[in-house]
Amino acid sequence: TQLLEQSPQFLSIQEGENLTVYCNSSSVFSSLQWYRQEPGEGPVLLVTVVTGGEVKKLKRLTFQFGDARKDSSLHITAAQPGDTGLYLCAGAKDTGFQKLVFGTGTRLLVSP
Amino acid sequence: NAGVTQTPKFRILKIGQSMTLQCTQDMNHNYMYWYRQDPGMGLKLIYYSVGAGITDKGEVPNGYNVSRSTTEDFPLRLELAAPSQTSVYFCASSYSAGQKRSYEQYFGPGTRLTVT
């Protein structure tokens, strides 16, 4: 089983702080996705990164795919209470089947 | 479009009972998936389907069965419920055509199942 480990597991911060979430694996992935999940709902895709070293920005969120395509990070600048949720990374292997391996998740709480 | 819908939202089962979790998508996606999510464990793939009439096991298929008679529907069957099946179940779908392969999966709102 390919594992994607996320750190930290839980993060509680004040509004306006910056944070980084990490997603690490010993396996190489053809692409990596980040999802956000709110309580009582299913995960919703934030971004897909496909090229080693790729950086994508989504407003205050910055996503990076590692050069070796084994790891990724999510950086949030000036966090807001609306950023609260469970962040999941998911890696894909280019096997012809769209199977994703999900990380263990990082639960973020941003307090006003 | 409603996207991916799941019913019921909540269910409590006694050990040994059976039930079917329903999943329907209206996006004409060919791929569909069932996951379970346990606290601190991320999402584990139970079964998946690449099209009507084709299903296959995922990472944790024991105790479950699926069928895919139409593109839209992908029900998950629990035959003899066990406490270990207490979890939140998510159905998802995605689309792939030839070399155009998007790994984005669209998720339903989930079914919270408790087996006691």
Side-chain angles (χ1 to χ4, degrees):
Chain A
T1 303
Q2 302 127 15
L3 289 177
L4 270 170
E5 295 195 6
Q6 289 184 236
S7 61
Q9 284 189 300
F10 181 76
L11 196 54
S12 180
I13 61 173
Q14 295 294 120
E15 182 176 2
E17 291 185 34
N18 301 333
L19 66 117
T20 302
V21 177
Y22 299 94
C23 174
N24 295 297
S25 175
S26 57
S27 297
V28 176
F29 293 98
S30 57
S31 66
L32 197 133
Q33 302 182 333
W34 285 91
Y35 289 80
R36 181 168 66 208
Q37 183 179 16
E38 300 191 16
E41 298 182 11
V44 176
L45 181 70
L46 295 173
V47 77
T48 301
V49 285
V50 297
T51 306
E54 182 177 2
V55 176
K56 278 194 175 178
K57 294 196 174 197
L58 186 66
K59 297 184 181 177
R60 294 174 295 99
L61 279 61
T62 302
F63 304 85
Q64 184 161 11
F65 201 12
D67 291 340
R69 291 186 289 134
K70 293 183 179 181
D71 55 84
S72 181
S73 64
L74 157 61
H75 181 79
I76 301 179
T77 303
Q80 298 178 358
D83 296 326
T84 292
L86 178 68
Y87 288 82
L88 295 162
C89 64
K93 293 244 177 190
D94 199 11
T95 61
F97 159 59
Q98 299 181 339
K99 179 179 175 182
L100 292 176
V101 176
F102 280 85
T104 48
T106 294
R107 192 166 297 280
L108 172 64
L109 175 63
V110 183
S111 303
Chain B
N1 286 352
V4 180
T5 57
Q6 292 182 239
T7 57
K9 288 187 75 66
F10 304 94
R11 185 72 186 268
I12 298 175
L13 281 183
K14 294 190 184 302
I15 294 172
Q17 286 186 321
S18 301
M19 77 163 295
T20 299
L21 282 66
Q22 302 291 345
C23 174
T24 300
Q25 54 91 9
D26 63 359
M27 298 174 283
N28 202 32
H29 286 172
N30 47 353
Y31 287 76
M32 295 187 75
Y33 316 80
W34 274 106
Y35 294 92
R36 58 177 288 171
Q37 185 176 38
D38 300 317
M41 298 295 288
L43 289 157
K44 301 282 188 186
L45 182 65
I46 305 172
Y47 269 95
Y48 65 94
S49 169
V50 302
I54 307 170
T55 63
D56 206 346
K57 297 177 181 179
E59 202 177 341
V60 289
N62 291 345
Y64 307 94
N65 274 302
V66 293
S67 58
R68 182 102 181 266
S69 56
T70 66
T71 299
E72 294 79 19
D73 301 306
F74 190 40
L76 177 72
R77 178 86 178 156
L78 282 72
E79 290 295 347
L80 291 170
S84 61
Q85 293 178 303
T86 293
S87 188
V88 182
Y89 291 84
F90 288 99
C91 179
S93 70
S94 65
Y95 181 76
S96 174
Q99 294 303 311
K100 183 179 169 65
R101 197 174 291 151
S102 166
Y103 286 98
E104 177 177 3
Q105 295 188 10
Y106 293 79
F107 286 81
T111 294
R112 186 175 295 274
L113 175 67
T114 301
V115 182
T116 61

